[in-house]
Amino acid sequence: EFGVHSAMTYFEAKRLCPEGIFVKPDFAYYEMMSRSFFSFLKRYSLLIEEASIDEGYVDMTEACMRVASPKAYFQKIMDDLLKEIGLKCSIGVAPTKFLAKMASDMKKPLGLTFLYRRSLNETLYPLPIESFFGIGKKTSAKLMDAGIVTIGDLKKKVDQDDAEIKTLFGKYFLIIKEEINGYGDDFVDPTPYDPKSLGHSETFPYDTNEEYVIKNKLRDLSMEVAEGVKRERKKGKTVVLVIKDSDFTNHNKSVSLQEGTDDGEIIFETVSKLYDSNYLGIMLRLVGVTLQNLYNPSEETVQMNIWNFEEYEKMDKTKLLVNELNRKMKKPALKIASEVNKKNGNR
DNA sequence: ATACATACC
DNA sequence: CACTGGTATGTAT
């Protein structure tokens, strides 16, 4: 009625509909509902991959073999989720995660879509290129310039190993070639979320170059980042100062520490120096602090010295061998099998 | 190691 | 001209 839609900022929506009721976001509530949602899914399969706060991939191979009508079964799951938890969802069923994601986006909300390899000509290939999961605004604009309008157009080019398309996609090319033909990644990875970076940023109410305003914000953000990594029981080696200037241009300055940290003071002092030496006096719209290269301190490889020699003698021989190899390779290339349990962790 | 671009929710 | 905040990953240097 007023032209307000999803993904619109508060300010735009307020301008279009000043009398609207505006509700503050409540991330803790979303996380609570997210946990309910994933617990609900566990009834149907234990093989679940949390793709985001409100999306997941579930391997339903077994469940489907048990039931007479998979369609009715999935419909009941959707109905039950609404009845019991009060959440509306859409379900896509397909032989790969990519096709399932594409299927789930075809009808929503409360849509149930099955996608079959044999019918991709009629279902997937007519869709506009920008609906391809993984191809965003920038890439679809480039593809449109090359005359590629639909997913089917892209399939044709990709199957011909078109040189232009190959360079555009880089190392994604082969993945896209598989996905677009209905093959590729069909393994649901249930390992828990394991962040590799963690940060916070905030837009100022007005652009500012006042040092005390900016430093105060950097201090607060640094403390929040420190809290976050401590909650994850991690440390991080690289501190990043994120800024957006008054032209909406983003800049990053980062520095890697000798030792990983989870200490707010150290993070603040580090971004503070980065700010002093790069942006002093410049009008800023946003500042942010991010900690990258997160790792579990317990898995830190130890450089042997005379002080830990005695402990070293007592340690498990296999662990020592792994640690030694990793130290020599300057990165944790190997792990004890029992410690390999976190998604995307160093393997 | 650093800087930046792109994509997603 | 322009949406924000958070994270992942690829490319270039």
Side-chain angles (χ1 to χ4, degrees), chain A residues 169-180:
Chain A
F169 285 119
K171 64 181 295 185
Y172 272 143
F173 180 82
L174 285 176
I175 294 171
I176 286 188
K177 186 168 176 170
E178 285 192 327
E179 282 177 341
I180 208 166

Side-chain angles (χ1 to χ4, degrees), chain A residues 58-127:
Chain A
V58 189
D59 189 324
M60 297 295 282
T61 314
E62 239 185 69
C64 280
M65 291 193 296
R66 281 200 326 261
V67 298
S69 164
K71 281 219 163 111
Y73 185 65
F74 283 112
Q75 191 59 56
K76 180 161 176 2
I77 294 176
M78 194 188 303
D79 296 346
D80 286 351
L81 181 67
L82 183 55
K83 244 184 282 172
E84 292 178 35
I85 321 252
L87 290 174
K88 293 183 184 180
C89 73
S90 292
I91 299 177
V93 186
T96 65
K97 292 195 282 186
F98 169 73
L99 289 182
K101 167 68 174 162
M102 294 303 295
S104 75
D105 285 337
M106 288 178 186
K107 286 176 236 153
K108 53 181 17 181
L110 296 174
L112 172 59
T113 310
F114 283 66
L115 214 48
Y116 309 92
R117 277 194 196 107
R118 61 177 177 277
S119 38
L120 294 180
N121 269 326
E122 303 83 61
T123 51
L124 184 69
Y125 301 150
L127 297 182

Side-chain angles (χ1 to χ4, degrees), chain A residues 37-38 41 45-52 55-59 97 185-192 343-344:
Chain A
F37 167 58
F38 284 107
L41 288 182
S45 169
L46 293 175
L47 204 40
I48 300 172
E49 177 173 338
E50 296 193 20
S52 75
E55 274 184 303
Y57 296 101
V58 189
D59 189 324
K97 292 195 282 186
D185 193 2
D186 59 354
F187 288 99
V188 173
D189 179 359
T191 50
K343 177 172 294 185
N344 299 329

